[in-house]
Amino acid sequence: MKRIFIFTIILLSNNLLVKANIDSEASKMFFYNNEFGVIVIEGNDIMLTNDGCNSWTTIKINTQEKLRKVFFSSIDVGWIIGDSTIYKSLDGGHTWSKNITFERTYLHTLYFTNENKGFVGGEIVNEQGVDNLLYKTDNGGNSWDKANVDSVLGNGTSDFSFFQDSLGIAVGYNTLYKSYDSGMNWNKLPINFYVGSFSPGRVQMIDANNILLFGGSPHVVWDGEILMSNDSGLSWETYGNGQIFVWGINDYFAYNMDSVWVTNGEKIFITTNKGINWKTMDIRIEEFSFISNNRAYGLSENSILYTENGWESYSIVDSVLVGLEQNEEIKYIYKLYQNYPNPFNPSTTIKFEIPQREDVKIILLNILGEEIDEIFKGELNSGIHEINYDGSSLSSGIYLYQIKTPNIIETRKCILLK
């Protein structure tokens, strides 16, 4: 097996904020209005606020799965997806019950157009490889029906967007699907994204014709990009001036085709003229939840930020959830990042962070959890490191990569598509 190792220690600026207990992946925060909001934190707990972050209530969800996305279709009815299970709340997030579990699956996205009509997407793992998981409900999750997807490709679903309930678009790993009947039938659009080029991630239908597609491409690092369509997804072109977002797109908000906000975790980028010009704000936000085109909450490394003018200025929300702590020395943590690109063919970069010098082992496992390759083994200094892994001898499918140290074991999923 050919292996190329590239180790880098990334030096961060002084006065780095110490990371607290928030695990910030996109859609782990959801604010329904100025007062009511929910954040998924580590340990599969959530925290609720009903007074604009002045106070919080911690809610324990009885699960061993990693909680991935939270969504409220009303101030009372909420949904959370785990690895393969959907959880539902009918009392504003204070109690949760298991709605449904899909066997041999990985869930990625959940979306409701109202309290009754919703969609869940991900991938199914079977003997043939990876296939779509795309289900819908019309009765608030009392039953889920498998949607009909027009595709022979092993292709999971990563995101949905709908316009006026009936017209929808879904993102696969290398293509897009369109529905004209409220998500029961999905037809493949005449477009394919090839491994090594643009990889789609999330989508936003502005209206019946105009659509924005958020994704990225592997270069020296993972670069975020935006494509747009003005013919209902039949053809695509670069949005605006082709702005590149180094390290990718963590989260976005599109008010219309002209006004778009993007965060890459280090800065916020704002356009009000359809991407021709971008304003850059030095605000470190992992993701945000917009209430209107001006008002939004943002999740930083260890604080919650709030703006009333579209991030032209902001305030740090003082709450019991997080405390703002500064230190003149860089503070590293244990963290295994998502590989990029993902899906990949044949190589991908695995990035991880350790807080002290110690023995580190990175291994690759199959979907059953059996070790099939040792990617790296050795002693490393504290810091952020990257390893380039070549999977050219592997067959297409879902794999797991895992970091092991004397103090932590953490696992993430990756997908090889050839």
Side-chain angles (χ1 to χ4, degrees), residues 403-415:
I403 182 173
K404 289 185 176 182
T405 78
N407 297 300
I408 188 176
I409 297 176
E410 188 171 348
T411 307
R412 279 185 176 270
K413 180 187 61 171
C414 61
I415 298 173

Side-chain angles (χ1 to χ4, degrees), residues 106-150:
Y106 291 92
L107 302 182
H108 293 305
T109 188
L110 178 85
Y111 182 80
F112 275 77
T113 58
N114 55 53
E115 288 190 6
N116 291 315
K117 184 178 294 185
F119 308 85
V120 63
E123 68 227 4
I124 301 172
V125 184
N126 52 39
E127 290 74 14
Q128 288 73 41
V130 182
D131 202 357
N132 261 312
L133 181 142
L134 210 166
Y135 280 76
K136 66 167 294 189
T137 180
D138 291 312
N139 53 20
N142 290 328
S143 62
W144 290 85
D145 299 314
K146 185 177 181 180
N148 301 311
V149 180
D150 173 28

Side-chain angles (χ1 to χ4, degrees), residues 43-62:
N44 293 339
D45 294 343
I46 66 168
M47 300 196 76
L48 307 175
T49 180
N50 287 291
D51 55 11
C53 300
N54 289 318
S55 62
W56 293 85
T57 302
T58 302
I59 307 296
K60 186 78 172 178
I61 297 181
N62 185 23

Side-chain angles (χ1 to χ4, degrees), residues 318-329:
D318 186 14
S319 73
V320 298
L321 175 63
V322 289
L324 188 64
E325 181 181 353
Q326 292 186 344
N327 193 303
E328 293 183 356
E329 298 180 356

Side-chain angles (χ1 to χ4, degrees), residues 248-273:
I249 297 174
N250 282 27
D251 203 2
Y252 75 90
F253 172 73
Y255 181 67
N256 51 36
M257 288 295 285
D258 292 318
S259 300
V260 176
W261 287 256
V262 168
T263 177
N264 67 351
E266 299 292 328
K267 300 177 185 294
I268 294 178
F269 304 85
I270 305 169
T271 182
T272 55
N273 59 2

Side-chain angles (χ1 to χ4, degrees), residues 56-73:
W56 293 85
T57 302
T58 302
I59 307 296
K60 186 78 172 178
I61 297 181
N62 185 23
T63 178
Q64 298 299 315
E65 297 185 18
K66 182 178 178 63
L67 301 179
R68 301 186 180 278
K69 183 170 183 176
V70 57
F71 184 88
F72 274 77
S73 52

